[in-house]
């Protein structure tokens, strides 16, 4: 029975319906025990032999001039029969291997729709021994069950390939292609780890173009000369976590219009621009990092973000970004407040129209220029007073008194909350009453409402007082009457108000209290109106 894969004439490898080149692979132990690996090696030799046979005619003239002194039995006619060497020759023979290496340096081999199993270098049927004989290999629509691909002195290009297991990528040479990257439109089902070798930690070329990821991407201890990710869109990252530790990026880094479950950046240098535009990120933690180029995170959404010991050498742009979830109560094991701790902004920082739904901690920042928080929205629940003071001062320094007034109110409310734990009684009273009357001069409607209610209450009390003494000529509590007379006399002696109390016989002290209260309310109304125009 032949392989069911379209166009394949090999015998199927039981119990599969396909041959060893095209069947689904398992782990190394099972495949080795079932002889899948040895059969795969033999069929790959035949596959390469057929590929070389199809290309032998065009190369035979060049080979003739190079090998007329060779004693190899595979020299035939006008050149060397590489196809015959791969099909029948002893590839462990040093003469044959050296012959191929010396004469086949410019050849490219294309491996199409092959399922590569896991391997061990100790095996005699290790298929890497075949691949090392070529200078360039193009893997097209292949399926890889292998965990790494470390081949020196060989250039590679992976196009449309599927990676089923965790795959480790180390610096290797890129085969020239139209996408200018190592992996194009590939699908990584498991973790991807990008790490250095003992002798090389630099990737000269772009890594991924239009690739799809379904798990963790771990970039650790490497440097990138070019942009690592190309041709991204929102369908290529599926519940993907991206970790960038101890890396250096010389080119632009773009993570635009994608969705990440989390993004971790630590001990990393971005020497050019770093863009996270229109991106959905669950948890974003950036620590001990330097942004030498422009940092762009406009119109992105972060469920949680923390920037700690991050230095922005150029513009940091967060315009229209959102941190947290609107109208959602979150119970989490970690803090949900957006935090900028020991962050340094060397130039402009733009937080225009940014929503901080879970609050903002901007207390411990180093600002060389004032930030722009125009039309931003900050939940005061988890925001400290110093944060509001910094933002208020940024508007004051620009002459924007309206926005400064808005954050002045939030600053006072935050201070009022601080007094709950450590303030004295009178401090608490003053700030709570101020907030109650007019929200620290922000709400003149509330102050007017209080004035109207107070006037109505005072008028009703006057009516009740006159009605009582028109019908009764004695004080209800006779023993306390002298106290009431004494308080009224005190009120009469308060000169600023004494001339208004002449018609309030017997009600002078309460009238004095109400007049003082009316004065406070009128002052609050005036302040509130002014703060809607200037402060």
């Amino acid at each position: 029975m032949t392989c069911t894969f379209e166009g394949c004439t090999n015998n199927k490898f039981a119990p599969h319906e396909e041959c060893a080149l095209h069947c689904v692979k398992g782990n190394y132990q099972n495949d080795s025990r079932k002889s899948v690996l040895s059969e795969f090696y033999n069929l790959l030799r035949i596959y390469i032999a057929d590929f070389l046979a199809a290309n032998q005619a065009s190369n035979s003239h060049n080979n003739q001039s190079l090998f007329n002194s060779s004693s190899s039995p595979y020299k035939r006619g006008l050149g060397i029969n590489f196809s015959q060497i791969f099909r029948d020759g002893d590839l462990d023979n040093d003469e044959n291997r050296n012959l191929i290496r010396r004469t086949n340096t410019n050849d490219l081999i294309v491996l199409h729709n092959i399922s590569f199993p896991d391997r061990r270098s100790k095996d005699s049927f290790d298929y890497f021994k075949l691949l090392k004989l070529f200078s360039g290999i193009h893997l097209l629509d292949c399926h890889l069950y292998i965990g790494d691909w470390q081949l020196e002195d060989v250039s590679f290009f992976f196009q449309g390939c599927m990676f089923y297991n965790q795959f480790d990528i180390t610096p290797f040479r890129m085969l020239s292609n139209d996408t200018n990257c190592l992996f194009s439109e590939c699908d990584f089902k498991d973790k991807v780890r990008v790490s250095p070798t003992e002798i090389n930690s630099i990737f000269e070329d772009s890594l991924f173009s239009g690739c799809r990821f379904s798990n963790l991407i771990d970039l650790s201890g490497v440097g990138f000369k070019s942009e690592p990710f190309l041709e991204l869109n929102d369908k290529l990252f599926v519940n993907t976590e991206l970790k960038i530790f101890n890396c250096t990026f010389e080119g632009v880094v773009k993570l635009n219009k994608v969705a990440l479950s989390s993004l971790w950046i630590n001990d990393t240098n971005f020497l050019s621009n770093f863009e996270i535009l229109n991106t959905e990120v669950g948890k974003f933690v950036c620590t001990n990092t330097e942004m030498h180029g422009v940092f762009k995170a406009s119109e992105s959404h972060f469920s949680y973000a923390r920037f700690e010991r991050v230095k922005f050498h150029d513009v940091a742009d967060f315009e229209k970004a959102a941190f947290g979830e609107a109208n959602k109560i979150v119970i989490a094991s970690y803090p949900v407040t957006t935090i900028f701790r020991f962050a340094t902004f060397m130039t402009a920082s733009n937080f225009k129209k940014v929503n901080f739904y879970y609050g903002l901690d901007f207390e411990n920042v180093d600002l060389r220029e004032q930030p722009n928080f125009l039309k931003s929205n900050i939940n005061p629940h988890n925001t400290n007073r110093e944060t509001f003071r910094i933002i208020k001062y940024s508007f004051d320094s620009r002459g924007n008194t309206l926005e400064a007034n808005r954050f002045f109110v939030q600053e006072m409310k935050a201070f009022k909350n601080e007094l709950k734990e450590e303030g004295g009684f009178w401090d608490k009273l003053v700030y709570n009453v101020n907030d109650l009357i007019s929200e620290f001069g922000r709400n003149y409607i509330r102050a007017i409402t209080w004035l109207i209610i107070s006037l109505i209450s005072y008028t009703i009390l006057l009516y009740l007082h006159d009605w009582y003494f028109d019908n009764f000529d004695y004080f209800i509590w006779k023993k306390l009457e002298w106290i009431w007379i004494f308080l009224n006399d005190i009120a009469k002696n308060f000169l600023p108000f004494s001339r208004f109390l002449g018609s309030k016989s017997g009600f002078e002290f309460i009238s004095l209290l109400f007049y003082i209260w009316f004065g406070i309310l009128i002052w609050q109304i005036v302040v509130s109106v002014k703060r809607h125009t200037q402060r």
Side-chain angles (χ1 to χ4, degrees), residues 312-324:
F312 298 92
H313 291 266
D314 210 324
V315 175
D317 185 8
F318 294 88
E319 184 167 345
K320 295 183 180 180
F323 295 86

Side-chain angles (χ1 to χ4, degrees), residues 17-68:
E17 295 298 319
E18 301 87 2
C19 66
L21 278 183
H22 300 116
C23 68
V24 175
K25 306 302 190 296
N27 59 46
Y28 173 81
Q29 289 76 13
N30 289 338
D31 288 346
S32 179
R33 187 177 65 253
K34 296 176 182 179
S35 300
V36 175
L37 302 182
S38 57
E39 179 67 11
F40 176 86
Y41 178 85
N42 293 329
L43 291 181
L44 184 61
R45 286 185 61 170
I46 297 173
Y47 179 97
I48 295 174
D50 292 341
F51 180 88
L52 293 175
N55 292 275
Q56 188 75 33
S58 61
N59 296 329
S60 60
H61 177 73
N62 295 331
N63 290 337
Q64 180 186 18
S65 61
L66 294 171
F67 307 108
N68 49 21

Side-chain angles (χ1 to χ4, degrees), residues 289-292 295 307-316 318 340-349 351 362 364-369:
T289 294
E290 295 203 20
M291 310 280 185
H292 292 270
F295 176 76
F307 296 84
E308 189 166 345
R309 293 184 175 86
V310 179
K311 191 172 185 178
F312 298 92
H313 291 266
D314 210 324
V315 175
F318 294 88
F340 288 83
R341 182 173 295 148
F342 310 123
T344 301
F345 295 89
M346 300 298 293
T347 59
S349 52
F351 295 90
F362 209 66
N364 297 298
V365 294
D366 183 2
L367 297 168
R368 307 302 169 88
E369 293 186 18

Side-chain angles (χ1 to χ4, degrees), residues 118-133:
D118 201 358
R119 52 166 284 276
R120 297 291 184 272
S121 58
K122 61 182 178 62
D123 294 334
S124 60
F125 43 78
D126 176 21
Y127 57 87
F128 269 27
K129 295 177 181 179
L130 304 177
L131 303 183
K132 288 178 181 179
L133 299 176

Side-chain angles (χ1 to χ4, degrees), residues 77-93:
L78 297 177
I80 294 180
N81 193 331
F82 291 109
S83 173
Q84 194 65 30
I85 296 177
F86 268 88
R87 188 180 301 275
D88 302 322
D90 181 9
L91 294 181
D92 291 326
N93 181 278

